[in-house]
Structure formats: C-alpha cells, structure tokens
Amino acid sequence: MRNICILIIVGMVLLVGCAPKTIETVQRPTTSITERSLSEQDGTARDRRGITEEELARAERERLLREQEGKVEALMKDINFEYDSYVIASSELPKINAVGSYLKQNGGIKIVAEGHCDERGTVEYNLALGQKRAEAVKAYLVKMGIDSNRIRTISFGAEVPVDPGHTEGAWAKNRRAHFKIDQKG
C-alpha cells in the first residue's frame, strides 16, 4: 500500500512538472514621433534597443581593441629555449624581430615578457631561470631600439605550463618566453 501511494505521488509530480507552459508575449509601446524628436533634442538619441550612440561607439572601440590584440597575440610567438639555458637560439631570432618590428610601428603598445621553465628543478631555480629568459628577450628588444620602459618582465618558473605532460616534448614546449600586451601599461 505504501509503495502504491509513493507511485501515485511521483506520478502526480511528473504530470504537474511536465505540464505545458503558457508563454505570454508583451508588445512594446511604440514611440511617437514627438517623443523621438524630444529625446533627440535632449542629446540622448537611442536606437530601437535603447542604446545611445556613445555606448555604440564605446562597444565598437572595444571590439576593435580585442581584434587588434588577437592579431598581436598571433604575431607574438613563444621563444623557446634549450634545457637549463637562457641563451636565445639563432632559430628564435626571427620571432623576436617580428615583435620588435611591431613595437617600432606601434609606439603606444607596451608588452610583458614572461619567462617559463619546465617542471624539472626547484621552484627557486625555475623562477630565477624564467626571469633570466624574460630579461634576455627584453635585452634583445632593447638592442633593437625598443624603449626598455615599454617591456615589463615576469617569471612564472614552472607554474604555468603550456603543456602539462611529463615528456621531453612537453618540457621543450614549456621552456619559453611568452609575450602579452601589458594591460597595466
């Protein structure tokens, strides 16, 4: 008897929960020509969605900035390093040259050079090595003529791996200097 009562209660809950819902539509009141002309005279001209021209312009500027940052991020490729080294290999120089050229053409842009390491080594050692890698990249850009005040350096050691694997291939990817646009800058 108890099982039957439970079954009936569960069935009722399912029926009530699955009942069709009614959807009410609300029509917006139309704005009269007089109201529109008053708001335009008021300096707060809004489009149909209630957005001011200033808000639209700000949104467009933000969209263009995000688009530019995406292009810059694609340009700024990681600089890879050999194991236990902060010497920039000649094969990595074209990547740094591309960043330097971009910075010369865009004098208002500031960047962050991040130094990264693989997981081998102590935390202290990897932080120091990551800083040396970031500083080596910065020094090369400064030699190219980029103002040192436009390049901030930071070391993440092994704390932010690009590849979490525990193989030589993963470690090679993690030994790098990474560029980002300086948002503080």
Side-chain angles (χ1 to χ4, degrees):
M1 182 69 183
R2 182 174 176 199
N3 290 339
I4 293 175
C5 287
I6 291 174
L7 269 168
I8 290 173
I9 291 172
V10 169
M12 290 176 62
V13 168
L14 287 175
L15 285 175
V16 171
C18 297
K21 310 286 188 275
T22 58
I23 299 174
E24 293 181 30
T25 58
V26 178
Q27 289 188 353
R28 291 186 188 191
T30 57
T31 306
S32 71
I33 295 172
T34 309
E35 289 176 82
R36 257 186 267 146
S37 62
L38 285 175
S39 69
E40 288 170 5
Q41 290 171 359
D42 194 17
T44 59
R46 296 182 176 268
D47 72 0
R48 285 181 258 148
R49 295 176 302 260
I51 300 173
T52 65
E53 289 179 23
E54 182 180 311
E55 292 168 331
L56 285 172
R58 186 174 346 113
E60 179 63 12
R61 282 192 305 273
E62 289 172 0
R63 184 191 67 77
L64 290 172
L65 181 61
R66 281 191 309 272
E67 186 177 294
Q68 180 184 15
E69 285 176 353
K71 289 177 183 176
V72 171
E73 295 292 330
L75 170 78
M76 296 185 181
K77 302 194 182 307
D78 286 350
I79 309 304
N80 297 104
F81 292 88
E82 292 297 318
Y83 175 70
D84 198 28
S85 174
Y86 58 94
V87 174
I88 301 169
S90 60
S91 61
E92 300 298 307
L93 294 179
K95 296 177 188 177
I96 303 175
N97 290 333
V99 172
S101 296
Y102 179 80
L103 290 174
K104 284 181 179 179
Q105 293 169 3
N106 298 279
I109 301 284
K110 292 184 178 183
I111 63 168
V112 178
E114 301 175 348
H116 297 270
C117 301
D118 62 36
E119 65 188 358
R120 299 173 288 182
T122 66
V123 171
E124 295 82 14
Y125 181 81
N126 284 337
L127 285 171
L129 181 58
Q131 188 65 37
K132 288 178 182 178
R133 288 175 175 167
E135 292 292 338
V137 170
K138 177 180 179 175
Y140 187 87
L141 289 169
V142 169
K143 284 182 184 176
M144 287 182 66
I146 306 302
D147 182 4
S148 65
N149 293 326
R150 294 178 58 200
I151 308 164
R152 192 166 51 93
T153 61
I154 189 168
S155 175
F156 287 105
E159 303 305 311
V160 186
V162 72
D163 187 334
H166 306 288
T167 65
E168 185 55 47
W171 293 331
K173 290 178 190 173
N174 293 329
R175 296 188 300 262
R176 71 196 192 283
H178 179 78
F179 297 106
K180 284 189 175 178
I181 300 296
D182 191 352
Q183 299 297 333
K184 294 181 181 178

